[in-house]
């Protein structure tokens, strides 16, 4: 059987991400996936290959999303201190109020648990982390060029700190801790990240 006439590959892939995010790789059945994606099993195999290939493609799509809300918030806010706060605030909102209803982060909740167990996940997770580090560091480097940060500001080290703090916020969101309390400490976290 071919794929349905109204099949939208991107939407189907997003639906698969949501299923893996909520149920994990092992917990996501083929029925769960095909139902959420709006396709039948032959169509899934025809378009995406098997469950393993679908999972790897889901990771790639999620990791390569240039529109990642926290990163976009950080890159588009002109003031660097406000940009750090915008990144953290967007992280909290994304991890607490995702349109799928999932809490936390797909990479942290699901992908990290399959490292060493599902072939291809280790390299993808490492690439996602280092890619985010580089994107964050690039903004710090631009601020150094503009004279808004000192020339010896450790861009990559602070980018890694910022990413690590982000993951802590994601975990707090997944635990459904009070969002207002988490947001109350953002100015302090920004000060720590930008300290010279």
């Amino acid at each position: 059987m071919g794929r349905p006439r109204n099949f939208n590959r991107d939407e189907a892939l997003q639906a698969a991400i949501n299923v893996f995010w909520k149920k994990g790789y092992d917990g996501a059945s083929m029925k769960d996936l095909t139902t959420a994606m709006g396709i039948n099993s032959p169509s899934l195999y025809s378009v995406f290959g098997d469950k393993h290939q679908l999972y790897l493609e889901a990771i790639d799509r999620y990791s390569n999303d240039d529109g990642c809300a926290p990163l976009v918030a950080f890159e588009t806010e002109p003031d660097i201190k406000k940009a750090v706060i915008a990144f953290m605030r967007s992280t909290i909102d994304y991890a607490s109020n995702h349109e799928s209803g999932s809490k936390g982060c797909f990479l942290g909740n699901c992908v990290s648990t399959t490292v060493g167990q599902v072939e291809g996940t280790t390299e993808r997770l490492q690439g996602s982390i280092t890619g985010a580090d580089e994107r964050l560091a690039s903004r710090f480097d631009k601020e150094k060029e503009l004279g808004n940060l000192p020339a010896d500001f450790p861009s990559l080290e602070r980018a890694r700190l910022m990413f690590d703090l982000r993951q802590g916020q994601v975990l707090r969101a997944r635990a459904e801790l009070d969002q207002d309390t988490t947001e109350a400490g953002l100015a302090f976290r920004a000060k720590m990240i930008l300290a010279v």
Side-chain angles (χ1 to χ4, degrees):
M1 289 181 66
R3 63 184 178 215
R5 195 180 312 168
N6 62 352
F7 175 80
N8 181 307
R9 193 178 200 287
D10 195 55
E11 288 176 7
L13 193 53
Q14 182 59 55
I17 290 171
N18 295 341
V19 171
F20 286 129
W21 192 340
K22 286 179 183 175
K23 298 195 168 197
Y25 178 74
D26 290 331
S29 70
M30 290 301 287
K31 182 170 176 34
D32 293 330
L33 291 163
T34 55
T35 299
M37 296 167 75
I39 59 176
N40 57 31
S41 293
S43 295
L44 187 149
Y45 287 112
S46 170
V47 176
F48 296 102
D50 59 12
K51 177 181 169 181
H52 176 243
Q53 290 302 316
L54 174 63
Y55 183 57
L56 296 182
E57 190 168 339
I59 297 169
D60 290 342
R61 183 186 186 283
Y62 187 89
S63 300
N64 296 323
D65 180 6
D66 289 334
C68 172
L71 288 171
V72 170
F74 180 62
E75 292 167 338
T76 57
E77 166 56 52
D79 179 271
I80 189 60
K81 182 176 179 184
K82 289 179 182 175
V84 173
I85 292 172
F87 174 83
M88 298 293 185
R89 184 168 285 126
S90 180
T91 294
I92 294 166
D93 184 59
Y94 181 87
S96 303
N97 306 305
H98 192 268
E99 61 188 24
S100 70
S102 297
K103 301 284 186 188
C105 166
F106 174 57
L107 297 178
N109 293 4
C110 178
V111 178
S112 65
T113 66
T114 58
V115 166
Q117 297 178 25
V118 177
E119 184 180 347
T121 56
T122 302
E123 302 82 1
R124 282 170 168 79
L125 186 58
Q126 289 174 351
S128 294
I129 294 168
T130 57
D133 288 345
E134 289 164 7
R135 237 175 120 173
L136 295 169
S138 176
R139 171 66 194 273
F140 289 136
D141 286 341
K142 286 178 187 170
E143 294 298 321
K144 286 158 65 170
E145 290 169 11
L146 293 169
N148 297 328
L149 289 173
D152 63 349
F153 184 83
S155 298
L156 185 57
E157 288 79 2
R158 296 302 169 84
R160 289 173 178 159
L161 173 63
M162 195 160 140
F163 181 87
D164 293 349
L165 288 172
R166 171 195 178 275
Q167 290 308 106
Q169 290 178 310
V170 166
L171 185 60
R172 289 176 182 276
R174 182 156 173 78
E176 298 185 358
L177 292 173
D178 182 62
Q179 191 170 336
D180 292 336
T181 302
T182 304
E183 288 197 19
L186 295 185
F188 175 77
R189 287 178 179 84
K191 187 175 180 181
M192 185 169 52
I193 290 164
L194 296 172
V196 294

